[in-house]
Amino acid sequence: MNFYKQARILFPAVLSASLLSTGIAVPTPKAAAAVADTGATAQEQGEWLTGEFHAHTTESDDAQSSLESVLDHGLTTYGLDFIMLADHLRSSKRDDTGADIPGGPIPLSKGLLEYQVPKIKALQEAGKYAGKTIFSGFEWDIPSHEHGSVGILTDEPGSDAALKAANQFEYLFTNRDATWFNPADVLQWEAADDRAFSTHADSLSAVNWLKRNYPETSYMIVNHPSRGVGKYKISDFRDFNNAAPDIAFGFEGMLGNQMEPDRGGYNSAYDPANPTANDNYKNRSYGGVDYMVAKVGGVWDSLLGEGRQFWNFANSDYHFKTIDTNSSGYWPGEYAKNYIWSEGKSTQDILNGMRSGKSFSVFGDLINALDFRLADGGANAEMGGTLQATEGDKLTLTIKFKSPETNNYENPINSGQSGGMQPAVDHIDLIAGDVTGPAEKGTPAYDKDTNDSTRVVATFTSEDWTTDANGYNVITYDLPKASKDQYFRLRGTNLGINVPGETLDGNPLIDPKTTTADAAARFNEINDRNYKDLWFYSNPIFVDTAAYSDEQAVTDTLSKLTLGNLDAVTGNMTLPSEGEHGAAIAWEETTDSANAVAIENGIAKVSRPAAGQPNASVTLKATASRGDQSDSKTFVLTIQALPTTSNPGGGTTPATSVSVNMDPAKGAEGSLQGVISFKIPAGAVSSSGTIGASVLPTGQQPPLGNLKALSPIVEMTSNAGTIFGKPVQLTFNYAMNSAAPKSQPAVYYYNEKLKKWMFIGGQANGTTITVDVKHFTKFGVFGYTPQTFQDLNASWAKPYADRLIGMDVISGYEDGTFRPDQPVTRAEWVKLLVNSLSLPTPSGATNFADDSLIPAWVKAQVKAAAEAGYVTGINTKDGSVFNGSQRITRAEIAVIAARVLQSAGIASSGDGKTFNDAQAIPAWAQDAVEQATASGIISGYLDGTFRPDDTLTRAEAVKVAYALLDALNM
């Protein structure tokens, strides 16, 4: 991503302390406390400031509030840190109080000099607005377009030079009469520049004039870009930004004028019954947001897809709130806020913050804090920044946000009475798009106003976030590994995914006009409309991905690959399967005369030589590969023999291991006094061998995490195979923890592949607990507090549900019930299946045509199950859909179960049952039903029927999941 790379890194070193003429702010210390609270790094000395850049006073002829009233409300009542005033750069007939100007009207730039700027200075010198920053900017009628907020800075706030610059801009780039300006100034200005105020080329002349004269001390932000039909093409924004990327760096995507009947003043006519009959739907507001921003993959995304530093902002566009029968916009800070990260409160600091893109914009105080960043395991980047990643890097997203206890909602409006609203985020969308570089002027790409790669890659609800000690809601999300240049941005709302008239598939719908005839009732309806429909939008984070060769990936993988201390191996070892930047690692034994190691499913299964036998030497070979490159590395392991228990000084010490020989025809029994006893039935294995049980020293135990051990950790070994054809009975001694009186004992085993302890359960009897297992690994007895359900105790499904409850795979309802007879949807079953099997859950969108309808709480599981080949879609005219809300049938369950077994290489153990309703089983499910029933995964009914079209119940679902775990030796 080379486009604008310098622009993202280099910012003006010195900016004036004023946008136009004012900007006197009482200095305040930088908020180091805010840094720690939001998770920012210690180097980021600064604070979040709230403010806006577009508010009018009576010096705009169509505004109705005095300067002091606007500042009082915005800075004092609603607590903004800064306000950029933006009165119309037109003739002005009133002063800062609303009184007519003697002999008026006059140019606005003269009104600022004579009235607004002196009044601001006087108010601040009198002690008002301490710690606040006030700017006097102006709103320019951009030639042939709509409006833009413009500011010109000089080195001295409030100086004649600063105001003279505004006066010159007004003369050159508006149609004011020349007689309104100083004749000497006019002669000087015309000698240097031509007047230009009619065409798009004239608007570019103005932007270029700002760049020539004030390259680091001016800005132009486009206001309400889609308010008028045909006012802008995307090429216009590209022209502005190309001409001066540090000046034309954003637009008002979150609209002002929210109190108008047509929200945001976007009143283009459209047919509500057929909104897309013409293109006017693009000139309406969507959740109070311009279509250019609200449309996923629209104009803003197209600009970001070029790598442009082009940001979204909010404002009030305040003229008045309600007067007589008319309504316009909320007071500054009452409804819309921009949060800007700033290194101080001077104009320079704030403008640096705006240019940086480290900002987010909010309606109705939906949130009042946001920390959004991407990391690749080392460096991280925040809003407006760029993460320099390497192909194959793991990318992790972190979102931290808060909502305030209440907002400014009043009921009734203008009453001063709080409506008692507590804003709450329903969900947050993570939106991503590819960055492909700049479009070249004169090509079709320069006029293309969509980014086809942009999509919602994840939707987060309260099920996806936790709350930290500081009250922040925290989301951590693993993105696919870096593979291309991209950007990521956020939007959030208090609305659900599909709210009639408001949202569809998570996207905001057109805001209809509020047409109630009675003015007071209409004002309240508009206010209610706005506060029921709240949004926030963040600026993006870019990811700049550098290529990484196959050869380098292989070399780096082998150089970093280690298995730890190999001089005295006593237990199974997990063999890494994934290397650096997507390299794969394959393992094989090259020397193992004692058959001490067997590689199974990425685990080096160790069978230690018997006590008194020599240690075994094993050589493992690791081959790393990516693309057509590969190389190898060997590791020599010394497998330590089992220890003897004799004591040279006489007597014996308590044994920590035991080993018994096993005859396949007779089975075997053994015990370690006070620790474990085991029984291997005849026929459990097909060959003779040795069965061992050993207590693992603390240093060799897998991490226990939060589990509390009630017994020693025991490793069971067998050189006759660690998977058994018949259940093996293990009985453990345990001692309950008196500090946890509500805890119960349960046997867990350590899954080497998943690197986690997994709940089995067992039958406890005072001081011992017994379980049946079909494979050997490490075992332990731990305390756990079971979840109980009043309607599950009498259910036949309780033994199956108990294990899944212990695994934290399933839960009940808020009323304390499990509801075993309730039907299960496809989404619910896939979540149960994937979580039961502990499948890794990848991020990102699925390939189903109805991906946007798949709830966030199950999307990762659906993607995991689809990628594993367990679930496929339902073919429709729109493509393959998942239909998560559709109830799952017994035939579908059989097909999914058969796929799980086939994927694990497990064949059915016999012939499937013949059912009385076999003719009702669809052809696509017949083989699967045979395999699933033969393997004991799913069974029929007492009347000999299978009932393929019946819906699976929750009780049946937990039994199927339990049976799959058993079949997979999990």
Side-chain angles (χ1 to χ4, degrees), residues 99-424:
D100 286 344
I101 295 173
I106 61 175
L108 175 74
S109 56
K110 186 176 181 181
L112 299 181
L113 171 66
E114 296 184 359
Y115 300 105
Q116 189 173 103
V117 171
K119 182 62 169 286
I120 291 171
K121 289 183 178 180
L123 290 169
Q124 291 191 299
E125 288 171 356
K128 294 197 76 170
Y129 320 125
K132 309 291 185 175
T133 306
I134 307 165
F135 312 142
S136 284
F138 54 83
E139 187 174 30
W140 173 44
D141 296 319
I142 304 175
S144 79
H145 299 302
E146 253 278 0
H147 302 160
S149 290
V150 177
I152 303 173
L153 285 69
T154 63
D155 294 335
E156 185 181 350
S159 67
D160 290 343
L163 294 172
K164 183 65 71 175
N167 195 229
Q168 183 178 1
F169 185 94
E170 185 170 16
Y171 174 75
L172 290 174
F173 304 114
T174 73
N175 62 357
R176 300 299 88 80
D177 193 293
T179 61
W180 283 19
F181 299 85
N182 183 299
D185 290 337
V186 169
L187 285 174
Q188 182 180 354
W189 295 340
E190 288 189 340
D193 298 288
D194 295 328
R195 300 188 75 184
F197 47 74
S198 301
T199 66
H200 174 64
D202 293 340
S203 70
L204 288 176
S205 295
V207 172
N208 280 307
W209 183 87
L210 290 172
K211 183 180 179 181
R212 279 197 315 274
N213 295 282
Y214 307 96
E216 296 180 348
T217 56
S218 65
Y219 74 98
M220 190 275 284
I221 300 173
V222 174
N223 295 334
H224 33 70
S226 300
R227 190 169 69 176
V229 174
K231 289 295 183 180
Y232 288 104
K233 305 182 298 295
I234 193 171
S235 58
D236 301 327
F237 299 117
R238 290 184 167 120
D239 286 347
F240 291 149
N241 189 244
N242 285 349
D246 286 333
I247 294 171
F249 58 81
F251 55 14
E252 171 202 336
M254 299 183 73
L255 309 173
N257 290 319
Q258 292 281 325
M259 277 300 300
E260 291 206 18
D262 284 296
R263 196 170 179 183
Y266 277 42
N267 58 10
S268 297
Y270 77 106
D271 181 0
N274 185 18
T276 58
N278 56 45
D279 280 348
N280 281 10
Y281 69 93
K282 297 179 181 179
N283 299 96
R284 302 291 302 186
S285 67
Y286 291 73
V289 178
D290 193 289
Y291 183 77
M292 293 184 182
V293 170
K295 170 65 175 176
V296 174
V299 168
W300 191 32
D301 287 311
S302 186
L303 296 172
L304 297 178
E306 296 179 89
R308 292 181 186 270
Q309 272 199 164
F310 201 80
W311 314 130
N312 168 63
F313 297 102
N315 63 63
S316 66
D317 196 1
Y318 178 78
H319 291 72
F320 60 89
K321 188 172 180 181
T322 60
I323 293 179
D324 299 326
T325 61
N326 301 308
S327 59
S328 178
Y330 291 97
W331 290 100
E334 181 181 6
Y335 185 73
K337 286 187 177 75
N338 295 298
Y339 284 78
I340 309 292
W341 180 262
S342 177
E343 294 185 353
K345 285 196 171 181
S346 73
T347 303
Q348 173 181 329
D349 293 326
I350 292 169
L351 199 40
N352 265 337
M354 293 180 67
R355 278 178 169 156
S356 76
K358 188 174 177 180
S359 63
F360 61 96
S361 304
V362 186
F363 285 155
D365 296 299
L366 177 60
I367 61 173
N368 61 353
L370 176 66
D371 186 275
F372 166 41
R373 60 185 68 208
L374 284 173
D376 63 354
N380 70 79
E382 301 178 79
M383 291 174 283
T386 300
L387 179 66
Q388 299 293 340
T390 302
E391 182 185 358
D393 281 355
K394 178 181 178 182
L395 300 180
T396 301
L397 164 82
T398 304
I399 304 168
K400 297 174 67 176
F401 70 95
K402 276 185 179 180
S403 296
E405 291 297 320
T406 188
N407 58 15
N408 298 317
Y409 172 65
E410 292 182 344
N411 189 13
I413 192 173
N414 299 328
S415 67
Q417 299 177 8
S418 171
M421 178 178 290
Q422 183 173 357

Side-chain angles (χ1 to χ4, degrees), residues 46-70:
E47 59 183 316
W48 287 102
L49 301 181
T50 59
E52 71 150 273
F53 58 88
H54 186 187
H56 295 264
T57 74
T58 50
E59 292 199 54
S60 291
D61 287 349
D62 53 357
Q64 304 300 319
S65 297
S66 70
L67 168 67
E68 190 168 4
S69 177
V70 171

Side-chain angles (χ1 to χ4, degrees), residues 887-905:
R887 293 179 177 181
I888 195 162
T889 66
R890 288 167 54 80
E892 290 172 324
I893 279 287
V895 169
I896 293 173
R899 288 175 182 154
V900 173
L901 296 175
Q902 292 162 7
S903 177

Side-chain angles (χ1 to χ4, degrees), residues 434 556 573 756 768 791 924 935:
D434 296 346
D556 287 355
M573 303 178 66
K756 64 184 288 188
T768 63
D791 59 344
W924 51 264
S935 300

Side-chain angles (χ1 to χ4, degrees), residues 790-868:
Q790 59 195 29
D791 59 344
L792 188 59
N793 292 333
S795 172
W796 59 266
K798 186 177 186 306
Y800 309 108
D802 281 348
R803 185 180 180 201
L804 299 177
I805 293 169
M807 293 173 64
D808 285 332
V809 168
I810 60 173
S811 58
Y813 293 86
E814 292 180 355
D815 62 358
T817 61
F818 180 75
R819 306 181 192 175
D821 297 323
Q822 181 166 299
V824 175
T825 66
R826 286 169 57 84
E828 289 169 336
W829 164 249
V830 166
K831 184 172 184 180
L832 172 62
L833 173 72
V834 170
N835 290 349
S836 297
L837 301 180
S838 297
L839 291 183
T841 48
S843 59
T846 69
N847 290 326
F848 294 113
D850 61 342
D851 176 79
S852 61
L853 299 180
I854 301 173
W857 56 263
V858 74
K859 182 168 287 189
Q861 286 87 349
V862 171
K863 185 174 176 65
E867 291 182 355

